[in-house]
Every structure is written in structure tokens, then in C-alpha cells.
Amino acid sequence: MPYEPMTFAGVEVTPLCDAVGPMGPSIARPLPELFPGGSFADGEEWILHFHCFLLRTGAHTILVDTGVGDLTGPAAGWAPIPGRLLQELDAVGVAPADVDTVILTHLHSDHVSGCVAEGVPVFPNARHVIQEAELDWPGGGLMRDRIVKPLGDQLWIVHGSRDLFENVRVAHTPGHTPGHQVVLVGDLIVSGDVLHHPVQLADPTIGYHYDDDPERALTSRQVVLGRAAYLATSHLAEPFTKVR
């Protein structure tokens, strides 16, 4: 079931638990290799939570990220599938056609695979917001073919930070990927993959093995942690974290 919502700047934010589980063996590594410099118990396993977030402004129904998708999706090789996003939305009374905007933090399969099923957009009435830099990223090739291309004219391509709606803003936070973006709602930041593990809250200088550009990722992480009073995180066990 979805978590209890919180309200920021008049926007109701509901975390949706799409999936819970470890990385599959194709990309799994010991935690000290994934987060160099972090302190972990011997043999400690990383259990990821895959959160999406529903934002309701009164005028708009907005989804941030779309999770791991189904058994045939791009995340099937490593993530705990199938995702439960549609069931989570149904539990809070939202049908796919009710969503008018989908914000994609970046083109990794555990964040975008729920956009498309059998080659057709899952959210037929939604514009899908993505950074231009992410579309230009060579590493996003598979997702461009399997996810971006079927979205067609439903794409809303933005360049850098900008307001989308009243009290809902995207900010370009490159590093994990070149076009990674976060969502600002009052003093909450929906942080995507700016950080992945609690050790990075305690020490933002701890990087992540799969960051595309570690130096830019560190800068983005420091900026986000310095700006937010609350985070809505993709992979921590609890979806909301009070920062200050």
C-alpha cells in the first residue's frame, strides 16, 4: 500500500512503493565497492526500495518516475520485477489516464520502465518531462529506443532548471547521469538518484560506483542536501527524510 502523504507548499506528495529487493547478480557488487569509503558490516546486503512519487496540486496530477516495469521491460535483467506502480496508484484512486504529467529524473531502467508497456505509453494523457542533456547522453541509448521513442509527441523536453507549475519546479542535477533532474516542491526535493544509500546522507563525499561523472554527482548531492529541508528518495527504506 502507498505510504501516508505529506503536503509541501500546498502540494500533496504520496510515495508509491513500486518494488523492494536486492540488485540482480548482473550488476550487484559488495557494498564497499558500490560506495567506496562507506562503512558496512561484513557481508551486508543492500536491499533497495524503488519509490515513485505522486504529486497532486489540485489542478495537476503528476508522477515522478515510473519504476521497474513488467517482466519484459528494460529493468528485468537486474531489478525485482514486476513493479506495482499501477496497483499503488489504484489504491489512492488514480488511474493511468488521470496523470497529466510524468517527470522522469533520468533514463535508468528502474526509473522509466513503467512508462511503456508492449510499445504503448502507459499514461496516455501525460506529457513526460525530461532534460535535453539526458536525451543527448550516449548511455541512454537502450532507454531511448524502448522508452523515449514510443512516447513520441508526449515528450516535454526541458533545458536546465525551470518552473513547471505553481510550486513544482525541476532542477538539473547532473552527475549520476548528464541529464539527471530533481523536483522541488517547497522545501522538499524529490531527489531521484542524487543519492542512493544512507551513508551518503552522513557523508555526501561518498560516491556511488554507477555514477556517470563522480565529481559532478558530488556537487549535485551537496547542493541538494544544502537546499532541502526534506528529501523524497528513490531507494532509501523510508521515502521521506528530514534533512534539517
Side-chain angles (χ1 to χ4, degrees):
M1 291 292 292
Y3 297 88
E4 288 297 314
M6 293 182 69
T7 299
F8 300 88
V11 179
E12 183 185 79
V13 181
T14 304
L16 308 171
C17 185
D18 184 53
V20 179
M23 285 182 168
S26 63
I27 64 170
R29 292 172 178 261
L31 278 168
E33 293 183 24
L34 288 171
F35 301 97
S39 180
F40 305 97
D42 290 345
E44 182 179 342
E45 185 178 23
W46 187 24
I47 302 299
L48 294 86
H49 292 244
F50 296 81
H51 296 136
C52 306
F53 293 89
L54 179 70
L55 281 51
R56 290 192 268 202
T57 72
H60 296 281
T61 301
I62 305 160
L63 182 62
V64 182
D65 286 337
T66 63
V68 300
D70 61 21
L71 297 171
T72 65
W78 70 273
I81 54 169
R84 292 183 43 82
L85 176 60
L86 295 184
Q87 294 96 313
E88 292 279 286
L89 286 169
D90 182 67
V92 294
V94 174
D98 297 333
V99 177
D100 59 75
T101 306
V102 174
I103 302 173
L104 300 175
T105 59
H106 63 295
L107 285 179
H108 277 167
S109 59
D110 55 320
H111 293 259
V112 301
S113 290
C115 285
V116 172
E118 298 182 353
V120 177
V122 171
F123 302 98
N125 299 321
R127 294 190 295 173
H128 292 64
V129 182
I130 192 165
Q131 286 285 328
E132 183 177 20
E134 195 73 353
L135 295 179
D136 294 338
W137 176 45
L142 175 62
M143 296 305 107
R144 282 198 298 274
D145 290 340
R146 298 192 61 179
I147 301 298
V148 174
K149 190 177 294 184
L151 293 175
D153 59 8
Q154 288 181 234
L155 285 176
W156 180 1
I157 301 169
V158 298
H159 180 72
S161 303
R162 61 163 292 170
D163 294 326
L164 299 182
F165 308 110
E166 185 177 3
N167 296 326
V168 178
R169 177 177 178 82
V170 293
H172 185 206
T173 49
H176 183 60
T177 64
H180 188 282
Q181 62 184 348
V182 298
V183 185
L184 286 70
V185 185
D187 57 4
L188 170 79
I189 295 181
V190 186
S191 58
D193 278 0
V194 164
L195 59 86
H196 292 77
H197 193 279
V199 296
Q200 295 178 295
L201 286 170
D203 183 356
T205 67
I206 293 173
Y208 178 55
H209 175 78
Y210 290 113
D211 283 337
D212 180 73
D213 185 329
E215 290 187 7
R216 297 184 83 189
L218 169 59
T219 298
S220 290
R221 191 159 47 250
Q222 291 173 324
V223 168
V224 166
L225 290 175
R227 158 71 173 79
Y230 289 86
L231 296 179
T233 59
S234 295
H235 298 304
L236 303 191
E238 292 298 323
F240 291 123
T241 297
K242 193 176 190 305
V243 180
R244 55 181 169 82

